[in-house]
Amino acid sequence: IMPLAVTGLLAKFVGAGVRYWISYNSYLGFTDAADYHLAAARIAARARAGQVGLIEFIPHGLGTRFIEEVAGVVYTVAGSSRLGGAFVFATVAFWGSVFYLLAANIAVRGLRRKWYAVLVFFAPSIVYWPSSLGKEAWMFFALGLGSYGVSLALMRRDRLRRGFVLAAAGFVGAAFVRPHVATMWIAGAGLAFAMAMVVRRRAAAAGALRSARFPSTMRASDGLVLFGVLVASVVGFVLVASLTLRFLDPVSGDDASIGITERVTRILDETERRSSEGGSTLPTYSIDSPADWPAAMLSTLLRPYPWEINDLASLLPGIETVLFVVLGVWSAQRIMSVHRQFRHSPYLLMVICATVMFALAFSSIANLGILTRQRSLVLPFGSLLLCLPYVPKRSRVAKGAMPSPVSVP
């Protein structure tokens, strides 16, 4: 794995260089990264001149302001360099890939580690999009860190508290930039912790747990901590969800007369309107009932479809999508057995939950560039489903035991 990680870091630097060249040559500097650079340079100049207090220097804004403040800290230490900032944030995003790999290695027994490492380090969208000074690099790192923390808390009893601290740090960091995305990961983590608590309590009561991953007994203190983590996940979900509605729909503010449904509808309509401006526009799918979910999810995860490819900008993500579809068909038997692993790998429940919520939430995006950029954040979860082991049906194994993964060509 280490050679793949080193090569993945080099690929990340190549992606950062390519994106830097496109930003300042093809787009002549009219990009978000250029705006972040200018704002960060001003913050760094003030900090070096002693005009910024310690509290003010700590990043605490929301959205764009938070990234400007983080970049300002980097520039204060390392100097104000556009190219340097790009490579620093590319390195930060690379650590997100590392955390996703570590999380899966801990949580999934029989994981095809090398395959997953190849996808999480070398998938074109991951190499390119989170490789610049901007929100994607920070979000990729924060969500990866949070996922690693959840995996530790779920699967390693001796690292339960450490895992919770890492998960909280990652998801809080993500919530400062995109609270709506952090909400999806927190909701998935809450379901995973609920599953783990139920499974462990039943196993401890029956004395039938024999997995090497889960201990046969669970101390009362572990149960209390796990329950506290679950409560904290629910509370965090509620708080971040409230923050998300205010963040995405600032016009409504604290007006209690506006219901949640109306707020969400307004947000989706505004997202569709804004993302439909500019080139590479795609038709969107409205979600009026659960029957619309499959088409909406596919539109988020698999577009552009072959018949929607009409230029180079749509051809490249189209090729990547085709490759993932081919891998999905090849791995169909393993993917279809994922539900048999929920009891012994609750982390996979988080993966499924976050992916489904992400696919539904971003189905209103009408711009291909925005869609592919945002989709890179959930790509590590989608890649994980392609690298799972095949688990036979429960009837073929001893009751209460973890089915051994079976190699499937």
Side-chain angles (χ1 to χ4, degrees):
I1 300 298
M2 184 58 68
L4 287 174
V6 173
T7 308
L9 179 59
L10 297 178
K12 201 69 172 175
F13 288 157
V14 172
V18 171
R19 191 167 183 197
Y20 179 88
W21 185 87
I22 292 176
S23 297
Y24 291 98
N25 287 273
S26 297
Y27 292 102
L28 303 178
F30 293 100
T31 61
D32 292 339
D35 296 336
Y36 293 139
H37 165 75
L38 294 176
R42 289 193 293 268
I43 294 174
R46 292 180 58 221
R48 287 193 291 265
Q51 300 175 358
V52 179
L54 178 60
I55 302 300
E56 184 182 358
F57 186 65
I58 298 175
H60 58 277
L62 291 177
T64 298
R65 184 59 182 172
F66 183 83
I67 297 299
E68 293 173 350
E69 292 169 348
V70 171
V73 173
V74 173
Y75 282 7
T76 301
V77 176
S80 302
S81 168
R82 294 188 307 189
L83 186 59
F87 278 94
V88 167
F89 272 74
T91 304
V92 168
F94 166 77
W95 276 102
S97 294
V98 172
F99 286 132
Y100 275 118
L101 180 60
L102 291 174
N105 187 52
I106 292 172
V108 182
R109 180 184 177 186
L111 173 72
R112 294 170 176 251
R113 291 187 298 169
K114 290 186 177 180
W115 276 102
Y116 187 54
V118 168
L119 293 176
V120 85
F121 285 135
F122 301 107
S125 292
I126 294 177
V127 170
Y128 179 75
W129 287 114
S131 300
S132 177
L133 199 170
K135 296 178 180 178
E136 282 71 35
W138 176 264
M139 287 294 297
F140 200 88
F141 163 78
L143 294 175
L145 176 62
S147 300
Y148 173 57
V150 171
S151 179
L152 277 180
L154 287 171
M155 307 303 295
R156 299 289 176 84
R157 187 177 69 180
D158 58 331
R159 299 183 183 180
L160 181 62
R161 294 169 178 82
R162 181 189 303 179
F164 177 61
V165 170
L166 292 177
F171 294 148
V172 168
F176 272 107
V177 179
R178 289 194 178 126
H180 52 299
V181 177
T183 302
M184 303 171 193
W185 265 246
I186 293 173
L191 287 178
F193 282 123
M195 171 68 78
M197 186 168 62
V198 171
V199 169
R200 292 188 183 187
R201 284 190 174 277
R202 286 184 177 179
L209 190 59
R210 296 293 182 265
S211 172
R213 292 289 187 178
F214 286 165
S216 57
T217 60
M218 184 174 66
R219 297 174 298 182
S221 60
D222 293 331
L224 290 175
V225 172
L226 193 59
F227 179 74
V229 171
L230 176 60
V231 172
S233 300
V234 174
V235 173
F237 171 78
V238 173
L239 293 177
V240 177
S242 300
L243 178 62
T244 297
L245 292 177
R246 294 189 60 187
F247 178 79
L248 297 177
D249 186 24
V251 177
S252 300
D254 297 320
D255 188 355
S257 63
I258 300 179
I260 293 179
T261 303
E262 184 177 350
R263 284 179 182 265
V264 172
T265 301
R266 181 182 302 180
I267 291 169
L268 294 177
D269 290 343
E270 180 65 12
T271 299
E272 181 176 349
R273 184 191 67 81
R274 291 185 179 183
S275 62
S276 63
E277 297 175 352
S280 302
T281 301
L282 299 173
T284 59
Y285 287 80
S286 59
I287 302 177
D288 300 320
S289 69
D292 300 322
W293 288 9
M297 292 170 59
L298 290 177
S299 71
T300 300
L301 300 176
L302 300 181
R303 299 177 81 181
Y305 298 133
W307 55 87
E308 295 175 339
I309 298 175
N310 51 27
D311 55 18
L312 182 61
S314 58
L315 176 63
L316 297 180
I319 293 175
E320 181 185 42
T321 298
V322 169
L323 291 176
F324 272 95
V325 169
V326 171
L327 289 175
V329 173
W330 181 64
S331 307
Q333 191 174 8
R334 293 192 294 272
I335 296 175
M336 295 301 293
S337 70
V338 63
H339 63 283
R340 300 174 195 148
Q341 302 185 57
F342 287 161
R343 291 180 64 253
H344 299 274
S345 183
Y347 178 79
L348 292 175
L349 188 59
M350 170 187 169
V351 169
I352 296 293
C353 178
T355 302
V356 169
M357 288 191 293
F358 184 95
L360 292 175
F362 284 85
S363 62
S364 60
I365 299 294
N367 183 277
L368 178 60
I370 296 175
L371 178 60
T372 54
R373 187 171 72 237
Q374 301 289 343
R375 192 167 58 197
S376 66
L377 299 178
V378 79
L379 198 55
F381 281 172
S383 300
L384 178 57
L385 298 178
L386 302 177
C387 302
L388 296 175
Y390 171 69
V391 177
K393 292 182 179 180
R394 185 179 177 87
S395 59
R396 300 180 186 176
V397 296
K399 184 176 181 181
M402 172 63 186
S404 298
V406 176
S407 179
V408 176

